[in-house]
Amino acid sequence: MAEKVTEIKRRQEKLALLLQRIEAGEDEKLIQDTYMEQMSNLTLHEIAVAEQGLLSEGISSEQVEQLKKLHPLILDGREEEAVWQQENEQIEADRARAFELADVAFSTPGHPLSVLRAENEALLKVTKQTRQLLEEQASFSLFMECFNRLEALKSHYGKKDELIMPLLEEYGVFGPTQVMWTREDEIRHGLGILRRKLKEETYAGARDDIEKLLGQVEMMATTEEKVLLPTSMQYFTEGEWYEIYCDLDSFGLCLIETYPKWDEGESYREQKQKKQAEKMDNLKEGVVYFEGGQLTIQQLKAVMKRMPFEITFVDENDINRLFLNASSQFARPMSALDREVYVCHPPRLVQLVRDMIADFKAHKKDHVERWIPNKEDPVRILYLAVYDEDGTYMGVLELIQHFGEYADKLRNILS
């Protein structure tokens, strides 16, 4: 999956270098020859994605216009508007085919689209029941029993956030995902506020806010069904759907009792596990040496699994390399391995992650600590910069530790 991001970035880098040559006044014929060599096998839409990437990195629209002047070189004398139209027609044909495939997937037990639809249907049942209880002015306790079930939507949204939307963005498809990131944040925020402030005496007066939230959840389900999931069917390969299937259960269930088995996905999972086991067999005899001793690969693996942390390691190129001991609260899908860490975060957090890693690389900081304040289960998240003996940046280690089981013990000790 990382290959798609790498390819898009490679195109952007090539265009950026061409722009530098244009602005440096290099020979026009040499620039045209390079453009032909590097871009002639791409569609205008693929080139446009790379140009849009340059804009997002701060290159001005006037500079990108200089690159657009080179488009005719790859059009073989055809009008650019006609080529755009032809490509759009092909995209529409592909989209229609994707909707047909999505209909098949929706009705295939265990396929990720089938699972996501089932969860949406369950969510819609809860919104309907909640609205009915609200209209009937049911008792507060009965209403909250139903309303609190909406908390399960976090599991459903997590599957989209980690398994569907980052992969779509790797294909250069940002329209549906950017809208959904924003709407999901609004829903989560609204749900959290209501769950905190709803009390028996304020229940009746919060009707408008409750109705707004229910409408947002219902609109999100419709958008998934009509836009996001069929669009993903247009782009994802069979192997990518298998990977998504294998990761579903790491996010927990959303208002459904179990995940149906998908025969093709199970076969893929078995083959994948077999290959992983063979790989580990080849490493059994390896030894890792430390200043204070040594461990076999098998011992080191067992020790790491016993650590009371959830562990993530991102390498010097900002690529996810290791997930270990992950929980459903902080799901780490295996399909996100070998993917840029930034792709795995919602837009509102990407710049924060970039700034933190930039500080680590520049040796401005060597750690960052964050806490999730929760009375029942406070969570500490520690980010540690990793350097080699010469001080060269090697990556960042993320450690997540839950303190729920220790909270009462600590209070007793400190009291």
Side-chain angles (χ1 to χ4, degrees):
M1 296 178 191
E3 288 79 3
K4 286 184 279 297
V5 174
T6 303
E7 183 56 37
I8 291 171
K9 283 194 169 183
R10 190 176 294 122
R11 293 169 190 167
Q12 289 176 204
E13 290 168 358
K14 289 176 180 177
L15 289 177
L17 289 173
L18 280 168
L19 183 59
Q20 290 176 12
R21 291 168 61 184
I22 291 171
E23 294 179 337
E26 190 173 322
D27 181 76
E28 187 175 340
K29 181 65 168 60
L30 291 175
I31 292 172
Q32 291 176 349
D33 288 345
T34 302
Y35 189 86
M36 280 287 292
E37 179 185 343
Q38 295 179 344
M39 304 294 158
S40 59
N41 63 332
L42 302 179
T43 66
L44 281 177
H45 284 77
E46 289 171 330
I47 293 173
V49 168
E51 291 170 344
Q52 187 61 40
L54 293 179
L55 288 170
S56 67
E57 291 180 354
I59 290 179
S60 71
S61 56
E62 291 79 11
Q63 290 174 299
V64 172
E65 282 299 321
Q66 295 185 64
L67 293 169
K68 289 183 177 181
K69 291 177 182 178
L70 298 172
H71 286 182
L73 295 171
I74 62 169
L75 300 181
D76 297 324
R78 297 170 294 168
E79 291 292 328
E80 185 165 340
E81 185 176 343
V83 175
W84 270 107
Q85 180 62 29
Q86 184 179 3
E87 289 185 10
N88 281 331
E89 289 173 358
Q90 183 59 53
I91 289 171
E92 286 303 315
D94 292 342
R95 183 174 291 124
R97 175 60 177 156
F99 271 77
E100 294 174 3
L101 293 172
D103 285 339
V104 174
F106 278 134
S107 60
T108 301
H111 189 285
L113 289 197
S114 174
V115 171
L116 292 170
R117 169 182 271 185
E119 291 186 344
N120 265 331
E121 289 173 346
L123 280 168
L124 292 177
K125 285 181 181 178
V126 174
T127 61
K128 182 179 179 180
Q129 292 165 357
T130 304
R131 184 176 285 109
Q132 185 175 344
L133 291 170
L134 188 64
E135 291 172 353
E136 293 173 353
Q137 297 183 337
S139 70
F140 179 68
S141 59
L142 186 61
F143 172 82
M144 287 304 296
E145 183 180 343
C146 184
F147 182 78
N148 283 334
R149 297 180 69 202
L150 288 174
E151 185 75 11
L153 63 76
K154 294 179 181 179
S155 166
H156 178 77
Y157 290 176
K159 297 179 183 75
K160 287 191 306 172
D161 294 351
E162 299 283 351
L163 303 179
I164 303 294
M165 298 203 287
L167 186 51
L168 264 182
E169 292 183 355
E170 288 186 16
Y171 278 103
V173 181
F174 294 93
T177 62
Q178 295 300 305
V179 173
M180 284 203 161
W181 289 120
T182 302
R183 289 180 180 171
E184 281 184 12
D185 284 344
E186 291 172 355
I187 291 170
R188 288 190 183 100
H189 182 66
L191 179 62
I193 288 177
L194 281 171
R195 292 189 72 221
R196 286 193 297 273
K197 81 174 188 179
L198 276 180
K199 295 181 173 58
E200 191 159 2
E201 59 271 19
T202 61
Y203 160 45
R207 182 186 182 102
D208 289 345
D209 290 338
I210 296 169
E211 284 282 7
K212 179 183 176 182
L213 178 68
L214 297 179
Q216 288 175 319
V217 173
E218 290 162 349
M219 179 60 73
M220 177 66 78
T222 299
T223 306
E224 285 181 36
E225 179 97 3
K226 302 297 184 185
V227 181
L228 181 74
L229 300 181
T231 301
S232 65
M233 205 70 197
Q234 182 177 353
Y235 289 93
F236 296 0
T237 66
E238 193 174 65
E240 286 165 345
W241 283 118
Y242 293 154
E243 287 286 344
I244 291 170
Y245 171 77
C246 292
D247 280 327
L248 281 176
D249 54 6
S250 63
F251 292 87
L253 298 164
C254 173
L255 302 174
I256 59 176
E257 294 183 0
T258 186
Y259 292 122
K261 299 294 184 185
W262 181 25
D263 291 341
E264 294 176 34
E266 285 298 316
S267 296
Y268 178 85
R269 190 202 302 270
E270 290 172 9
Q271 289 299 315
K272 183 178 180 180
Q273 290 173 342
K274 183 179 179 181
K275 289 178 182 177
Q276 184 67 24
E278 291 172 354
K279 198 179 291 185
M280 290 307 302
D281 282 342
N282 294 334
L283 292 173
K284 275 184 178 178
E285 303 306 317
V287 177
V288 179
Y289 294 92
F290 301 90
E291 289 182 4
Q294 65 188 53
L295 292 172
T296 66
I297 294 292
Q298 290 291 81
Q299 289 172 332
L300 180 59
K301 185 179 175 182
V303 167
M304 293 285 284
K305 282 188 174 183
R306 290 294 296 167
M307 294 287 186
F309 311 109
E310 299 177 36
I311 301 171
T312 295
F313 181 72
V314 178
D315 73 10
E316 72 277 12
N317 296 313
D318 309 335
I319 303 298
N320 295 321
R321 292 303 182 195
L322 176 69
F323 301 142
L324 198 60
N325 307 334
S327 67
S328 60
Q329 183 180 356
F330 298 95
R332 296 291 186 268
M334 294 300 107
S335 55
L337 289 172
D338 302 327
R339 180 187 289 169
E340 252 198 346
V341 65
Y342 310 115
V343 183
C344 304
H345 289 80
R348 62 184 172 81
L349 296 179
V350 169
Q351 194 56 50
L352 289 173
V353 178
R354 287 188 182 279
D355 291 344
M356 180 184 72
I357 290 179
D359 285 346
F360 287 166
K361 290 180 177 179
H363 290 258
K364 291 181 179 178
K365 296 178 181 177
D366 64 4
H367 75 281
V368 171
E369 182 182 35
R370 303 191 194 283
W371 282 85
I372 297 178
N374 184 313
K375 290 182 180 179
E376 295 181 359
D377 183 23
V379 178
R380 182 193 192 209
I381 305 176
L382 185 62
Y383 303 93
L384 300 170
V386 178
Y387 306 100
D388 67 13
E389 293 179 355
D390 297 323
T392 302
Y393 177 76
M394 299 177 69
V396 55
L397 184 68
E398 178 192 57
L399 303 176
I400 299 176
Q401 187 169 16
H402 297 256
F403 283 86
E405 63 178 299
Y406 310 118
D408 289 337
K409 294 178 181 178
L410 287 172
R411 290 189 192 99
N412 292 332
I413 291 172
L414 297 173
S415 62

